[in-house]
Amino acid sequence: MEIVTRVREVRKALGDDMEILVDANQRWDVATNIRVANQLEDCALYWYEEPVLADNITQCAEVARAITTPVATGENEYTRYGFRDLIDNKAAQFLNPDIHRCGGFSEMMKIAHLAAAYDVQIAPHLVPELSIHVLVAIPNAALVEFLAGSPDDLWVDPPQIVDGMMAPPDRPGHGMEFSAEAVKGYTE
Ligand SMILES: [Mg+2]
């Protein structure tokens, strides 16, 4: 399959010291996911993300049971109750709560603590400028997801990735302020 060839090429280009994460983006059925993940075993992936439709927790668990690469999911899940269902079903070893969807800071902290009791790790979906505050406050933080260039035009002085690491802003509250220029773009 083309995906297998592509990921193998990426592994070859990056060498063995760089982590590679694959996101199926809810695209395949259980059998296809298992086939792809098994073929990619030699690439030593860090995780295999959202194998099946996000609402189908039992199928996600089926994939997680069948493959050796850890599964990540949760960017489309809501509240601690949704994440409890993922954990109950052993659907993933990494959870990706999105701070906009899962219920904000307080709910994400509850999700993270619930996950900690099961040794499940937290890697929030995007919004790193807000999620970073949760990650530095929990014992089971895996990584912060960052898309190059994503928050820079929206915020005044957003936290940056330096040598692969991000620190939260040293300002009161979440410390983020919209740039006047960005707000103008959405209001005029
Ligand atoms: Mg994703």
Side-chain angles (χ1 to χ4, degrees):
M1 288 176 82
E2 191 189 347
I3 169 76
V4 175
T5 315
R6 277 193 198 179
V7 176
R8 287 215 176 108
E9 285 302 315
V10 172
R11 172 54 79 206
K12 218 187 288 168
L14 293 178
D16 290 335
D17 293 337
M18 184 84 75
E19 300 288 5
I20 299 175
L21 294 68
V22 162
D23 189 350
N25 250 321
Q26 314 179 59
R27 179 168 173 194
W28 290 313
D29 60 17
V30 171
T32 308
N33 276 297
I34 294 172
R35 198 161 66 233
V36 169
N38 283 346
Q39 286 181 45
L40 286 175
E41 232 174 72
D42 57 337
C43 291
L45 301 176
Y46 184 82
W47 78 36
Y48 188 88
E49 183 175 335
E50 270 200 326
V52 294
L53 281 179
D55 289 333
N56 204 332
I57 292 177
T58 52
Q59 283 196 346
C60 190
E62 222 180 313
V63 175
R65 266 196 308 274
I67 69 176
T68 59
T69 305
V71 165
T73 195
E75 67 180 71
N76 289 295
E77 197 52 80
Y78 297 86
T79 79
R80 78 198 89 149
Y81 304 108
F83 284 88
R84 177 196 59 192
D85 292 346
L86 287 170
I87 292 169
D88 270 353
N89 281 281
K90 299 188 168 62
Q93 292 95 320
F94 293 94
L95 294 176
N96 310 129
D98 181 306
I99 202 157
H100 292 155
R101 281 184 197 138
C102 77
F105 283 104
S106 302
E107 197 69 10
M108 204 197 265
M109 286 301 286
K110 293 184 176 80
I111 291 162
H113 289 148
L114 176 65
Y118 292 85
D119 292 322
V120 170
Q121 296 192 69
I122 298 294
H125 176 242
L126 296 175
V127 208
E129 63 277 11
L130 300 181
S131 308
I132 188 69
H133 293 278
V134 173
L135 285 172
V136 297
I138 60 173
N140 50 336
L143 55 84
V144 61
E145 186 177 30
F146 182 86
L147 287 188
S150 48
D152 282 9
D153 54 345
L154 272 184
W155 304 109
V156 175
D157 193 20
Q160 302 292 328
I161 299 282
V162 180
D163 293 332
M165 307 290 278
M166 176 180 274
D170 187 16
R171 299 184 289 256
H174 57 55
M176 299 301 298
E177 186 190 333
F178 284 124
S179 96
E181 202 51 40
V183 171
K184 234 201 283 173
Y186 287 98
T187 52
E188 285 178 358

